[in-house]
Amino acid sequence: SVMLTNAVGGELGHRDTASLLILDDDGANDESCVPDDETLCLEDGRYALRGTWRDFQGRTGVFHSVPSTDGSGLFWFFDENSVEVLARVIDGCGLNDHRWVFFAATTNVAYTLEVTDLRTDTVRRYSNPLGTRAAATTDVAAFACTP
């Protein structure tokens, strides 16, 4: 219920209490990320991060996740004791109305990192070609801010 008092510029009339219904309109998809060995879940489960790699011998595999904080995590490819990627999702909504994706990889193998906003089903893909030293990525327009 909502109660209105001390109205300015008008009368409340005889009714000063009303019922209020709040609808959940946070996006088309209320799915939440489920973390596992291949999936890093960030920002309260809103973002799912997954990746694949290919090396110089033609071998392929998946990123293996190592959760760190709600906003960041790590991935390894070949050996669980050797981290290959640090990834972050940052709430930049107050600065430029976007959520940002930052990541850095310490490799020259081919890879693709997928970041999925599970509320909007928006997917961003970041890739590195085989034999190229991976550059740090700072995508400050990755996902438009939505509730």
Side-chain angles (χ1 to χ4, degrees):
S1 291
V2 175
M3 179 179 270
L4 302 175
T5 59
N6 299 326
V8 176
E11 295 283 324
L12 291 176
H14 70 282
R15 190 171 186 187
D16 62 359
T17 303
S19 293
L20 178 67
L21 175 64
I22 299 174
L23 298 175
D24 180 2
D25 65 351
D26 285 347
N29 189 346
D30 289 333
E31 192 177 322
S32 185
C33 183
V34 177
D36 58 33
D37 179 60
E38 299 175 10
T39 306
L40 185 62
C41 299
L42 300 180
E43 296 294 317
D44 293 324
R46 178 172 179 164
Y47 296 93
L49 286 73
R50 296 178 186 93
T52 58
W53 57 266
R54 182 175 49 85
D55 70 10
F56 291 94
Q57 288 79 39
R59 297 177 297 181
T60 60
V62 296
F63 285 25
H64 296 280
S65 67
V66 181
S68 181
T69 69
D70 186 51
S72 66
L74 308 167
F75 289 105
W76 61 272
F77 303 166
F78 309 109
D79 179 346
E80 64 185 282
N81 296 312
S82 180
V83 171
E84 303 282 345
V85 177
L86 162 66
R88 298 180 64 195
V89 175
I90 301 168
D91 184 346
C93 294
L95 297 172
N96 73 341
D97 292 322
H98 284 81
R99 288 186 171 85
W100 309 345
V101 173
F102 285 16
F103 73 92
T106 56
T107 189
N108 64 349
V109 302
Y111 68 79
T112 298
L113 173 66
E114 254 186 25
V115 182
T116 304
D117 181 343
L118 295 173
R119 285 196 193 156
T120 64
D121 290 327
T122 305
V123 178
R124 295 287 179 254
R125 287 180 186 85
Y126 306 94
S127 297
N128 187 67
L130 185 64
T132 302
R133 186 177 31 182
T137 296
T138 56
D139 184 353
V140 296
F143 299 98
C145 290
T146 58

